[in-house]
Amino acid sequence: RGSEQVSVRFASLLLSCLALACDVEGGAHGTPDEFDEDATGGEIAAELIFLEEHGPPDFRVAALNADTLEVHTLFSLPSGSFAYGLDVHRDTGAVLLSYTEPAPEGEAGFDRSSVFIVEDDGLSKRIVGEDVSGSWAQYPRWSADGSHVWYVSTAAEVTERGVSHALVRAEVDSGRIDTTIDWATEPAVSPDGQHLAWVSLEVGTWVRSLQLGTADGAFMRTLVRADAVYDLGHPIFSGDGLEVYVFIPEDTAVPRAGSWTDDPSPLGHGLHLVPGDWWAIELATHERRRLTDLSAVQYAAAPSPDGRWLSTASATGIELIDLNTGAVDELFFNRAIRSLAWRDAD
């Protein structure tokens, strides 16, 4: 499944399949760039799992099979529910979903989320969850062996230090929490399961830095200091696990709405309208290099199983980026893609 297996047929039909999958009048509102047939050879033998928001409260988890080029819905969320993010286990293909269930009848102010496993026929298992309104379980990530789930737990009460964020690890079978990292968010697990990366939050300002730890969450070292970049977020490991990809906003960018000039960390304060690009941080040297030249708002990214391609979710849709050449094929959609992950089509 090397780079010679990726074809122009995949990239062009990916657009049409996802546009049809949206089931909305008008389909895609753009066309892909010209594809270089010499730069691509066959197909990606994998499928892209994505969380699509048709407009709250209307969400679905869907899969595009890159072999058959078919899109199908894995799970449509019930009316009144909400979804925040997903992850796919590298080996088993099992899907995790951070999900708010519909409010029970007669209960007002129901606002909390849990982490579920998604099967083709719906939600099969609630692993962990917040039972107090105003608390959430978000950013779910599988451990490499599938025995644990990492997720971010937010407190129900707002203190003078703000809403607390804790990165926790829970056993899949029992839901028991065995590890907690305070004031941390957005975890990423390396492909070999040896490392955990996360975004650390400075108490009071929410200024962000990028940390590296062991598989159990023990701190090892800082990969990007808070004063080294304007802001950062959405870390993921490269396909070979030797780098961490991270989104770094532009410090001179002007968002489409809102004022963020007084915020030390726009991403930390929930403002996702700041454009930027993806950068690679080498674990061994901490060297930082630019991966993309998008200058766009970004919500998520995921490397293909062979490591050559990076799929990214932006404010306008999905980009498919060739990490060998830097070429970008833009795919435009009417609906927001909020989370991405690849899994083997087998």
Side-chain angles (χ1 to χ4, degrees):
R1 295 172 181 166
S3 60
E4 71 279 359
Q5 292 182 317
V6 183
S7 73
V8 61
R9 190 167 72 90
F10 165 74
S12 60
L13 288 179
L14 176 61
L15 171 65
S16 58
C17 286
L18 280 179
L20 289 173
C22 288
D23 293 329
V24 294
E25 183 178 355
H29 59 72
T31 57
D33 295 339
E34 287 295 323
F35 298 107
D36 183 358
E37 295 189 20
D38 294 333
T40 56
E43 297 176 357
I44 300 177
E47 57 183 4
L48 185 64
I49 311 299
F50 57 93
L51 175 62
E52 183 180 25
E53 179 183 354
H54 287 265
D58 185 3
F59 293 83
R60 73 166 180 167
V61 177
L64 181 144
N65 188 300
D67 285 331
T68 65
L69 301 176
E70 296 176 345
V71 174
H72 67 278
T73 298
L74 296 178
F75 175 58
S76 292
L77 275 66
S79 178
S81 61
F82 206 92
Y84 304 92
L86 59 75
D87 190 36
V88 176
H89 192 270
R90 187 180 182 91
D91 297 325
T92 67
V95 178
L96 286 176
L97 181 68
S98 172
Y99 167 70
T100 294
E101 301 171 84
E105 186 176 354
E107 181 174 345
F110 186 85
D111 194 6
R112 52 185 179 265
S113 64
S114 304
V115 176
F116 288 82
I117 296 177
V118 178
E119 302 291 351
D120 287 350
D121 57 351
L123 301 175
S124 67
K125 179 181 175 62
R126 180 178 186 262
I127 300 175
V128 292
E130 303 295 339
D131 295 321
V132 179
S133 186
S135 299
W136 296 271
Q138 296 178 310
Y139 300 106
R141 297 291 183 266
W142 284 108
S143 66
D145 62 6
S147 64
H148 291 76
V149 169
W150 289 95
Y151 70 100
V152 176
S153 175
T154 61
E157 297 181 359
V158 179
T159 69
E160 66 277 4
R161 299 188 303 171
V163 179
S164 66
H165 289 64
L167 178 56
V168 299
R169 187 178 72 168
E171 295 178 348
V172 171
D173 290 339
S174 66
R176 184 180 68 88
I177 295 174
D178 61 15
T179 303
T180 300
I181 305 172
D182 290 330
W183 294 97
T185 187
E186 298 182 27
V189 178
S190 64
D192 62 5
Q194 297 301 306
H195 294 103
L196 178 76
W198 67 89
V199 173
S200 179
L201 304 173
E202 182 181 274
V203 177
T205 67
W206 286 21
V207 169
R208 295 168 157 225
S209 58
L210 182 63
Q211 311 294 338
L212 182 69
T214 66
D216 295 329
F219 173 78
M220 293 176 62
R221 58 185 178 272
T222 298
L223 293 178
V224 181
R225 301 188 318 273
D227 60 356
V229 296
Y230 170 64
D231 205 357
L232 58 83
H234 316 314
I236 54 173
F237 277 89
S238 61
D240 57 15
L242 299 180
E243 296 178 311
V244 174
Y245 300 158
V246 64
F247 176 70
I248 298 180
E250 300 171 359
D251 57 0
T252 59
V254 178
R256 293 178 300 174
S259 173
W260 51 270
T261 54
D262 295 329
D263 286 341
S265 171
L267 294 181
H269 286 78
L271 183 59
H272 302 291
L273 298 178
V274 184
D277 276 286
W278 294 94
W279 294 70
I281 315 299
E282 187 175 343
L283 300 190
T285 66
H286 300 189
E287 181 180 350
R288 186 167 72 247
R289 63 183 179 88
R290 190 170 188 150
L291 277 178
T292 66
D293 190 20
L294 302 173
S295 187
V297 176
Q298 298 284 291
Y299 300 123
S304 61
D306 63 10
R308 175 178 174 180
W309 298 86
L310 184 69
S311 57
T312 71
S314 74
T316 55
I318 295 177
E319 294 83 26
L320 194 63
I321 303 168
D322 188 334
L323 295 179
N324 288 345
T325 67
V328 180
D329 292 325
E330 294 185 84
L331 309 177
F332 300 93
F333 309 103
N334 288 329
R335 302 305 184 186
I337 308 298
R338 296 305 184 194
S339 195
L340 297 169
W342 289 93
R343 72 177 179 186
D344 290 340
D346 300 333

